[in-house]
Amino acid sequence: MQEMIRQLKAAWLSLSLKQRISLGASALMTAAAVIALVWWAKQPTWSILYTGLDPKEAQQIVQTLQARKVPLRLSEGGQTIEVPAERVDRLRIELAAQNLPTSGRFGFMSMFEQETLAQSNEMQRIRYQKALEDELAQTIEALDEVRSARVHLVLPGDRVFIDDKDIAKASVTLALAGGTAPSAQQVQAIAHIVAGAVPELSPENVAVVDTSGRVLWDGGGDGGGLVAARQIEMQSAVERDINAKVARVLEPILGPDGFVVRTTAILDFQRIKRHERQYDPDSGVLVSEQKRKEKTRRGAAGARGVPGTGSNLPGGAGGAAAGESEQSDSVDQTSNFEYSVVEKTVEEPQGRIRRLSVAVLVNEKPSSDGDGATTEPRSEEELARIEELVKAAISFDEERGDQVTVEQAPFVPKPKVEPSRRFAPRKWLPLVKYPALVVALLLVFLLFYRPMVATVREALREAARAAAPAPAEGSASLEAPLQIGPPSRVEILRQSFHKAALEEPEGMAQTLRVWLHESKGQD
């Protein structure tokens, strides 16, 4: 051991300053690379345990994990907690057993667990309201677009008189996930969920806003902003549906890239309710009939005047004219008929199509020479046939004012873009971690360790040559490689022959001649 240390010291002293610096730098870099690789290999693969936590809740989880001596890492301002990937599932189960994370929610279960006998009615009412708010918030957070939610309720109190009417109200604040906005139907669903869970609460008394201050539901459901958004969404849906219908018709004959279709739909959002009553005059049925006949008879009146001859003679002055007779007949008939009646209450839905305008741009067909690089226009008959197909697909109505335009033009060919293959380091890191460590160690061995060992060996050889006595003149120079550690039997024999050759070269030469002569005689 001392001999090896002496040789290493001699080799170090025999090196120049530049060689010493290079050797020291190589040794330090090799040690640093090995330490870094070992440290990197021992680092765990991190995976998200929980995200979107509030500071108070994150503090509780961090304290629990630190008490269990679980390595963790915080990100996104403390809202995300990462732990080693192999312990994620077990930690979630263990934390769930401790009601973590609670998302700061009170909930009905906690209300029952913390109930005491000394609570007043007012305290129970407040705890019930808080539990109801938290339960509604958890239900709303089930939506993918909602990261967190807060619900505030104003519940009507006990009434002394029937005429005292307190209106229940609610407000909902949403923290949206990833900046996405929920659709109008989802916002309406949130308002109805809250209204359905609270007695005497209507959707008109629910307000929904997001954390940026935008009003998503103004309480009325018919507010200008929300209605306009729903109308635009409905119009876009109709246009997409018509575009899809036209595309399904044209793709088999033109190909998926052989045309472009765009639709503009004008919808009627007026709400019309109409009552109609129609009678059929030919379907009358006699139900009842009443007749009344009346006849009047009046006879001649008797002689009147002064009794005597004069009044009874014709033309006598004292006589009165005889009265005329009177006769009348009348018939009064009443007939009751019933007719078939059709009563209709027609309520036309909002969003009726008032007019459609469809534009179709068709690519010119490839030329007949077959090279595929040039195109030629399509015939008018072919364009007319395409127009008829489009009209049939959209239920074209000329009285409604629909318009279909079909034009052709050469399309610019699309550049071929190779699909990008995204590399997911988190997914592949556990698989390449240890192979990469082996490759890195191999590179360290080839680039640093081998040159360093070669330099040390060369320095030791130079030191050995300088320390060995010079051979006698005419003797063979037998240079032996440097041997570190206890010499072998062959090395001992070689050193003995070398020493004998240096001390008694003539005797050694005579011995070699005898060995050679005996070897030839045996052959």
Side-chain angles (χ1 to χ4, degrees):
M1 184 67 180
Q2 294 180 356
E3 181 66 20
M4 185 175 62
I5 295 175
R6 184 185 63 79
Q7 292 178 357
L8 291 174
K9 184 177 180 181
W12 175 260
L13 295 175
S14 64
L15 296 176
S16 62
L17 179 60
K18 184 177 181 180
Q19 290 177 337
R20 292 179 183 179
I21 294 175
S22 177
L23 183 61
S26 300
L28 291 177
M29 292 178 64
T30 302
V34 171
I35 293 174
L37 290 173
V38 172
W39 176 82
W40 176 70
K42 290 184 177 180
Q43 291 299 312
T45 302
W46 298 100
S47 181
I48 295 177
L49 180 64
Y50 295 112
T51 186
L53 303 173
D54 54 42
K56 183 177 180 180
E57 184 179 36
Q59 181 184 6
Q60 295 177 356
I61 297 177
V62 168
Q63 291 178 353
T64 304
L65 295 178
Q66 289 177 349
R68 296 173 179 266
K69 297 182 179 180
V70 177
L72 58 92
R73 187 171 65 179
L74 299 177
S75 59
E76 297 182 2
Q79 295 182 352
T80 300
I81 300 177
E82 295 178 327
V83 296
E86 63 273 7
R87 305 185 65 177
V88 169
D89 297 333
R90 180 177 295 275
L91 287 175
R92 285 178 179 173
I93 295 174
E94 294 175 356
L95 292 175
Q98 300 180 8
N99 294 327
L100 290 175
T102 60
S103 300
R105 306 301 183 200
F106 189 78
F108 283 110
M109 296 303 298
S110 299
M111 175 183 174
F112 297 144
E113 292 174 358
Q114 300 177 8
E115 186 175 3
T116 60
L117 297 177
Q119 287 184 351
S120 62
N121 293 334
E122 182 67 17
M123 183 60 67
Q124 289 182 353
R125 188 186 67 82
I126 294 175
R127 292 178 63 83
Y128 169 77
Q129 179 175 340
K130 176 61 177 174
L132 182 58
E133 291 174 351
D134 293 341
E135 291 290 339
L136 288 173
Q138 292 182 15
T139 303
I140 296 172
E141 288 174 356
L143 296 175
D144 295 336
E145 290 79 4
V146 179
R147 181 169 56 86
S148 62
R150 294 196 65 183
V151 179
H152 299 279
L153 300 176
V154 178
L155 301 180
D158 297 334
R159 303 171 184 173
V160 179
F161 301 101
I162 298 178
D163 295 337
D164 296 339
K165 294 183 179 180
D166 293 336
I167 300 176
K169 297 181 180 180
S171 62
V172 182
T173 304
L174 303 178
L176 304 179
T180 59
S183 62
Q185 293 180 351
Q186 290 176 329
V187 176
Q188 185 177 5
I190 292 174
H192 282 79
I193 287 174
V194 176
V198 179
E200 301 181 7
L201 177 61
S202 62
E204 289 76 11
N205 294 325
V206 179
V208 181
V209 299
D210 62 1
T211 52
S212 62
R214 292 182 300 175
V215 178
L216 304 179
W217 178 266
D218 58 359
D222 294 330
L226 186 61
V227 169
R230 285 205 299 264
Q231 291 178 357
I232 293 174
E233 184 178 354
M234 184 182 299
Q235 181 178 353
S236 300
V238 172
E239 293 173 352
R240 287 193 301 268
D241 182 65
I242 294 176
N243 289 337
K245 290 180 179 179
V246 176
R248 285 194 294 268
V249 172
L250 298 182
E251 278 184 2
I253 58 177
L254 299 178
D257 298 329
F259 65 95
V260 176
V261 57
R262 292 294 181 268
T263 302
T264 300
I266 299 177
L267 306 182
D268 187 2
F269 293 99
Q270 293 182 354
R271 181 177 296 175
I272 300 175
K273 191 173 184 180
R274 184 173 62 252
H275 296 276
E276 296 179 356
R277 178 177 294 179
Q278 298 177 355
Y279 294 91
D280 187 5
D282 298 332
S283 61
V285 178
L286 181 62
V287 177
S288 62
E289 185 176 15
Q290 182 179 2
K291 292 183 179 180
R292 188 179 65 179
K293 295 182 179 180
E294 183 178 352
K295 293 183 179 181
T296 303
R297 295 282 190 273
R298 291 182 181 180
R304 297 177 182 179
V306 179
T309 305
S311 59
N312 292 323
L313 292 176
E324 297 179 357
S325 63
E326 181 179 357
Q327 180 178 357
S328 64
D329 295 335
S330 64
V331 178
D332 187 6
Q333 181 177 353
T334 302
S335 300
N336 295 324
F337 293 87
E338 286 190 359
Y339 297 88
S340 60
V341 181
V342 178
E343 293 185 357
K344 295 181 181 180
T345 300
V346 180
E347 185 174 358
E348 297 182 0
Q350 291 180 324
R352 300 183 309 277
I353 298 177
R354 293 177 54 188
R355 185 169 64 253
L356 291 177
S357 297
V358 181
V360 180
L361 182 61
V362 181
N363 188 15
E364 294 182 351
K365 62 182 179 180
S367 59
S368 57
D369 54 7
D371 58 353
T374 59
T375 59
E376 60 183 11
R378 300 178 184 271
S379 62
E380 294 296 333
E381 293 78 6
E382 188 174 0
L383 294 179
R385 187 169 66 252
I386 293 174
E387 183 177 351
E388 293 298 326
L389 290 174
V390 174
K391 289 182 178 180
I394 67 172
S395 299
F396 180 82
D397 189 354
E398 187 175 359
E399 295 180 357
R400 193 171 55 187
D402 295 349
Q403 182 180 2
V404 175
T405 303
V406 179
E407 297 292 340
Q408 62 176 334
F411 286 7
V412 177
K414 296 181 180 180
K416 295 182 179 180
V417 180
E418 294 294 334
S420 60
R421 298 179 179 179
R422 299 181 61 185
F423 179 71
R426 287 184 176 270
K427 181 179 179 180
W428 296 101
L429 186 59
L431 300 178
V432 302
K433 185 175 183 178
Y434 295 103
L437 178 61
V438 174
V439 173
L441 290 176
L442 183 60
L443 291 176
V444 169
F445 175 77
L446 295 176
L447 298 178
F448 298 104
Y449 181 75
R450 286 188 62 184
M452 183 179 65
V453 172
T455 303
V456 172
R457 286 181 177 176
E458 184 64 26
L460 291 176
R461 289 194 185 98
E462 293 294 335
R465 292 192 191 97
E473 186 177 354
S475 62
S477 177
L478 300 177
E479 182 179 353
L482 178 64
Q483 177 71 28
I484 299 176
S488 62
R489 184 176 180 183
V490 176
E491 182 64 23
I492 294 174
L493 292 175
R494 191 190 65 78
Q495 292 179 1
S496 300
F497 282 119
H498 183 264
K499 184 177 181 181
L502 294 177
E503 294 178 354
E504 297 180 1
E506 295 181 358
M508 191 63 187
Q510 183 64 28
T511 303
L512 291 175
R513 291 191 192 99
V514 173
W515 286 353
L516 292 174
H517 181 71
E518 291 178 355
S519 177
K520 290 180 180 180
Q522 292 177 0
D523 294 340

